[in-house]
Amino acid sequence: MLASVDSTNAEGFRQAPHLAGPAWIMAAEQTAGRGRRARPWVSPRGNFYATFVMQSHEAPAQIALRSFVAALALHDALCQVTGSTRGLALKWPNDVLLGGGKVAGILLECQAAGQGLQTLAIGIGVNLIAHPPAELVEPGATLPVSVLSESGQRVSPEAFLAKLAPAFAAREAQFSAGGFAPIRAEWLSHAARLGEPIRARTGTQDRHGTFSTIDGSGNLILHMSDGPVSIPAAEVFF
C-alpha cells in the first residue's frame, strides 16, 4: 500500500519495467486520479484505488476485453463484501452499479513496451465509504454511491483487495481458458438496462435506442429505429 501517489495507473507504468510478473499496486490516496476521458477521479482516503499491471503480446482488441474481466471480478468481490447480489449491476462499458448508483469504475490503459509487448494497467476505483456529491456529476449521468451508504458495510481498502485479487485471478483464468464467450455471457447476465431504452453519446452525437446486447468484441449493440448499430466506445445515459 502506497501512502500517496498521483495515480495508480501512472505508478503502474513506472514500475512495470521492474516487475517480475503481474502485480497489484494500491494507494491510500491519489492526488491526480483519472477516470475515462481524462476526467478527474475524486480520491479521498478510505476508498479503494488500485491498478493491476501485466504485460502481454496479445492484440490490442483482445487486451481491451479485460475491462469485462475486471467488471466481473469487481461484481464477485462486491457480492462478497456486501453479502448479497441485490442491487449490483454492470453498466457498459466499465462501471459497476449498486442500488442504481455508480459504486466503481474501471480505467484500462496500454503502453507499448517494445518487441510487440504491451504493458496493461487496469485501474479500479471503488467508493467504499464516500462518494462525490451529486453537484459534481454531469447532468443525466448516473449518480455516485458508496458501499457504506448502500449496504451499511464498512470495508477497508486492504480487505477489499483481499477479495478482489483472487476474484480477478479466477476471472483471468476463465478468460485465458475459454476466451471471451463465457465472460460475455456472464457479463450480460448482470448487465444494467439490458433490453431497455438508453442514450449513447459518441463525441457530440447522441443515439437513442434499445440496449440489445454486446457483441464478441465487446461493442454495444444499440437497436435504433432504422436497425441495430454497433458502438465501440460511448458514454451511456439511462
Side-chain angles (χ1 to χ4, degrees), residues 88-180:
L88 281 168
L90 304 178
K91 179 176 180 283
W92 188 90
N94 54 10
D95 292 340
V96 182
L97 308 183
L98 180 59
K102 178 176 175 177
V103 73
I106 300 162
L107 177 63
L108 188 151
E109 297 181 304
C110 268
Q111 286 185 3
Q115 299 182 332
L117 192 65
Q118 299 283 331
T119 298
L120 170 63
I122 305 175
I124 295 175
V126 183
N127 299 330
L128 292 177
I129 64 170
H131 58 79
E135 55 267 24
L136 294 183
V137 179
E138 178 183 359
T142 305
L143 293 178
V145 298
S146 71
V147 171
L148 180 61
S149 68
E150 293 302 304
S151 73
Q153 299 295 320
R154 183 177 289 272
V155 184
S156 71
E158 294 87 349
F160 190 77
L161 183 61
K163 300 295 186 184
L164 178 61
F168 185 88
R171 292 297 184 179
E172 174 66 19
Q174 180 186 21
F175 181 55
S176 296
F180 185 55

Side-chain angles (χ1 to χ4, degrees), residues 152-229:
Q153 299 295 320
R154 183 177 289 272
V155 184
S156 71
E158 294 87 349
F160 190 77
L161 183 61
K163 300 295 186 184
L164 178 61
F168 185 88
R171 292 297 184 179
E172 174 66 19
Q174 180 186 21
F175 181 55
S176 296
F180 185 55
I183 296 293
R184 173 182 175 271
E186 195 159 355
W187 189 95
L188 283 168
S189 74
H190 302 302
R193 303 297 178 96
L194 186 65
E196 298 182 22
I198 63 170
R199 173 167 58 97
R201 178 187 296 166
T202 54
T204 58
Q205 181 182 18
D206 276 4
R207 290 171 167 167
H208 296 260
T210 299
F211 176 17
S212 176
T213 188
I214 60 170
D215 66 15
S217 298
N219 299 326
L220 172 73
I221 305 301
L222 189 67
H223 200 281
M224 302 176 65
S225 57
D226 54 352
V229 175

Side-chain angles (χ1 to χ4, degrees), residues 39-59:
R39 293 188 178 117
W41 185 276
V42 179
S43 305
R45 288 181 178 271
N47 284 348
F48 180 83
Y49 318 108
T51 292
F52 182 76
V53 185
M54 64 176 290
Q55 293 188 317
S56 174
H57 284 98
E58 296 169 331

Side-chain angles (χ1 to χ4, degrees), residues 4-8 10 29-35 38-43:
S4 182
V5 72
D6 51 356
S7 99
T8 57
E29 175 188 57
Q30 293 185 122
T31 59
R34 293 175 287 111
R39 293 188 178 117
W41 185 276
V42 179
S43 305

